[in-house]
Amino acid sequence: MQVTARFFAILKDRAGVAELILELPAGATVTSAIELIVKQFPAIQSDLKRAAFAVNRNYTNTDLVLSDGDELALIPPVSGG
Amino acid sequence: MQVTARFFAILKDRAGVAELILELPAGATVTSAIELIVKQFPAIQSDLKRAAFAVNRNYTNTDLVLSDGDELALIPPVSGG
Amino acid sequence: MIDDRIEILATDLSWDEAVKSVSDGRAGGIDVFLGTTRAEKAADGRDLIALDYEAYEQMALDQMKALAARAREKWPIVKIAMLHRVGRVLIGEPSVVIAVSTPHRADAFEACRFLIDELKKDIAIWKKEVWSDGSASWVHPGQGQGARGEGQEE
Amino acid sequence: MIDDRIEILATDLSWDEAVKSVSDGRAGGIDVFLGTTRAEKAADGRDLIALDYEAYEQMALDQMKALAARAREKWPIVKIAMLHRVGRVLIGEPSVVIAVSTPHRADAFEACRFLIDELKKDIAIWKKEVWSDGSASWVHPGQGQGARGEGQEE
């Protein structure tokens, strides 16, 4: 299945990527998707520790099982306003 | 001596007068000026009970001795804003 | 130099101008309050159509300046604008605009709230309700009159 | 019908439009908050020249709408406007404008304060400091970076 990963702010800068499409096995969780991403972009590892995650634009915990077509966002600590 | 009296809001409407010049004896206080005004405009008597007074644009108590050229304002309860 | 903008005006209040006049690179937050004429219906079916404001202008301006100075003693204010209407203020229109800029937002909110609360207490300004049947009555808090407009009910 | 105005914009925020969009005959008070870029000087003498804002727009808009709904549960709100910039916001310019109209002023102040405080907590928007020497750094609260702008220091 395919899941779109989106990077923002410092994570986007560190990865040098704003968006990519992951090919994942059925049953993959947010955690397994993140592990795959870290392998490809080790530069984001330390900043990821403080990141939150959203699937389809809602904050989620990392146990969530992903579905084909999901949008997974890597959310560094926010600083709007 | 002469003191200018100014009327505002409901007191202006009841008296039918916005401003007048009082002729007062030396040593006259706010109280004596008000007594003179009430004689001329008995219609304001009940509303005067809740009024405050200002001399030269500062709130004052009624014991104040007036001076020639003072401006005495009759201030009903305010309702700005 | 303190260049607060404190005015009593017979023309429409420009909140746009008020915000511009307090905008400043030293400020991280601006709070603006607008008091507007709220529609009301009397028990007998009359509609409020406007509030007519009258001011003892020289005294009210002195009081507003003194009030701004009191706020400056309490909060680290960059700039203040206080504009008050006289004359007829129709439903939905502002009778008062207060804008405060401060380095941090908590102070802007607190100072703005202080300024409108205090302005309503003792500034020499009065409002008269104007009703759809042509009747009109002065609003004098505590006199048992039907209280209307933003100020009276709080 | 709730016609709150909630937008993320790449162009200058119009507080004038925000106030107009919440003006309403049912309201006696409007509170407006503007968060503006505050001038800063770093310890090494660099000057802050701007904040660059980035948003996860679809998520941030959903969050802002949900936040407006939460405020409506707490206060009797007539209308809300929440505008947030993306892109470069120079010193003194607003990055966020929130306007709330309510029948009585206390509610407008409280709801507006709630909206800006909550907006800063979890809406998917980020700011980057841009300095006079060409350097830039993301502001991520709690990461020990020098906090700048309205949001970080409170």
Side-chain angles (χ1 to χ4, degrees):
Chain A
M1 67 177 181
Q2 294 194 329
V3 167
T4 301
R6 298 188 62 174
F7 299 69
F8 292 96
I10 199 167
L11 294 172
K12 182 176 69 174
D13 284 1
R14 293 255 197 271
V17 160
E19 188 171 326
L20 57 80
I21 295 176
L22 299 171
E23 185 65 45
L24 296 171
T29 62
V30 170
T31 298
S32 50
I34 298 300
E35 285 169 357
L36 188 65
I37 290 168
V38 170
K39 267 185 206 152
Q40 290 179 35
F41 305 99
I44 69 170
Q45 190 155 19
S46 72
D47 286 300
L48 255 190
K49 285 174 193 153
R50 299 192 65 253
F53 304 99
V55 170
N56 301 334
R57 296 168 295 286
N58 287 298
Y59 284 114
T60 185
N61 64 50
T62 53
D63 298 335
L64 185 79
V65 176
L66 294 163
S67 302
D68 186 51
D70 277 354
E71 179 170 293
L72 168 65
L74 283 58
I75 314 263
V78 299
S79 54
Chain B
M1 64 177 180
Q2 294 194 329
V3 167
T4 300
R6 298 188 63 175
F7 298 69
F8 292 95
I10 199 168
L11 293 173
K12 183 176 69 175
D13 284 1
R14 293 255 196 271
V17 161
E19 187 171 326
L20 56 82
I21 296 177
L22 300 169
E23 185 67 43
L24 296 171
T29 62
V30 169
T31 298
S32 50
I34 297 299
E35 285 169 355
L36 187 64
I37 290 168
V38 170
K39 265 185 209 154
Q40 290 179 34
F41 305 100
I44 69 170
Q45 190 154 18
S46 71
D47 287 298
L48 255 191
K49 284 173 194 154
R50 300 192 65 253
F53 305 98
V55 169
N56 301 334
R57 296 168 294 286
N58 288 298
Y59 285 114
T60 185
N61 63 50
T62 52
D63 297 334
L64 185 80
V65 175
L66 294 163
S67 300
D68 186 50
D70 278 353
E71 179 171 293
L72 168 64
L74 282 57
I75 313 263
V78 299
S79 55
Chain C
M1 194 198 76
I2 292 178
D3 50 359
D4 291 338
R5 182 170 178 165
I6 295 176
E7 296 174 3
I8 293 175
L9 299 160
T11 52
D12 287 354
L13 299 186
S14 169
W15 55 83
D16 193 49
E17 291 282 312
V19 170
K20 278 182 189 148
S21 76
V22 303
S23 289
D24 192 295
R26 292 168 293 173
I30 298 173
D31 195 46
V32 189
F33 176 77
L34 295 88
T36 53
T37 302
R38 187 178 58 240
E40 295 280 344
K41 191 178 275 293
D44 58 10
R46 293 175 302 157
D47 291 303
L48 185 71
I49 59 170
L51 295 170
D52 277 355
Y53 284 85
E54 175 179 328
Y56 181 8
E57 286 201 22
Q58 307 94 316
M59 180 168 169
L61 284 170
D62 287 350
Q63 290 178 297
M64 288 161 75
K65 287 173 190 165
L67 179 52
R70 284 172 60 204
R72 285 184 169 280
E73 285 172 13
K74 290 173 178 275
W75 293 278
I77 290 170
V78 178
K79 287 181 182 165
I80 296 174
M82 300 178 77
L83 311 179
H84 203 297
R85 273 292 308 275
V86 287
R88 182 152 298 192
V89 181
L90 299 174
I91 304 295
E93 297 291 316
S95 53
V96 58
V97 175
I98 298 178
V100 184
S101 58
T102 61
H104 302 284
R105 73 180 181 284
D107 294 324
F109 278 104
E110 288 173 20
C112 191
R113 180 77 194 268
F114 169 83
L115 288 167
I116 182 64
D117 287 352
E118 293 298 309
L119 179 143
K120 287 168 172 284
K121 280 187 194 164
D122 72 351
I123 307 288
I125 300 177
W126 302 268
K127 63 165 80 69
K128 184 164 63 174
E129 301 165 338
V130 182
W131 296 90
S132 52
D133 65 348
S135 66
S137 55
W138 287 101
V139 177
H140 293 309
Q143 281 189 317
Q145 293 176 277
R148 299 294 174 277
E150 210 283 320
Q152 279 52 58
E153 308 189 23
E154 295 161 89
Chain D
M1 196 199 73
I2 292 176
D3 50 357
D4 290 340
R5 182 171 179 165
I6 295 177
E7 296 174 3
I8 293 177
L9 299 160
T11 51
D12 288 353
L13 298 186
S14 169
W15 55 83
D16 193 49
E17 291 283 312
V19 171
K20 279 180 189 150
S21 75
V22 303
S23 289
D24 192 294
R26 293 167 294 174
I30 298 172
D31 195 46
V32 189
F33 176 76
L34 295 89
T36 55
T37 301
R38 185 179 59 239
E40 295 281 345
K41 192 179 275 292
D44 58 9
R46 292 175 302 158
D47 289 303
L48 186 71
I49 60 171
L51 294 170
D52 277 354
Y53 284 84
E54 176 180 327
Y56 182 7
E57 286 201 22
Q58 305 94 318
M59 180 168 170
L61 284 170
D62 287 350
Q63 291 178 297
M64 287 160 75
K65 286 172 191 165
L67 180 53
R70 284 172 60 203
R72 285 184 172 279
E73 286 171 13
K74 290 171 178 279
W75 293 278
I77 290 171
V78 178
K79 287 182 182 163
I80 296 175
M82 298 179 77
L83 312 179
H84 204 296
R85 272 293 306 276
V86 287
R88 181 152 299 191
V89 181
L90 299 174
I91 305 294
E93 297 290 318
S95 53
V96 59
V97 174
I98 298 177
V100 184
S101 58
T102 60
H104 302 283
R105 74 182 182 282
D107 295 322
F109 278 103
E110 289 173 20
C112 190
R113 181 75 194 269
F114 169 83
L115 288 167
I116 182 65
D117 287 353
E118 294 298 308
L119 180 143
K120 286 167 173 283
K121 280 187 193 163
D122 73 349
I123 306 288
I125 299 177
W126 301 268
K127 63 165 79 71
K128 186 163 64 174
E129 301 166 338
V130 182
W131 296 90
S132 52
D133 65 348
S135 65
S137 55
W138 288 102
V139 176
H140 294 308
Q143 282 187 319
Q145 292 175 278
R148 299 293 176 278
E150 211 283 319
Q152 281 50 61
E153 308 189 22
E154 291 161 273

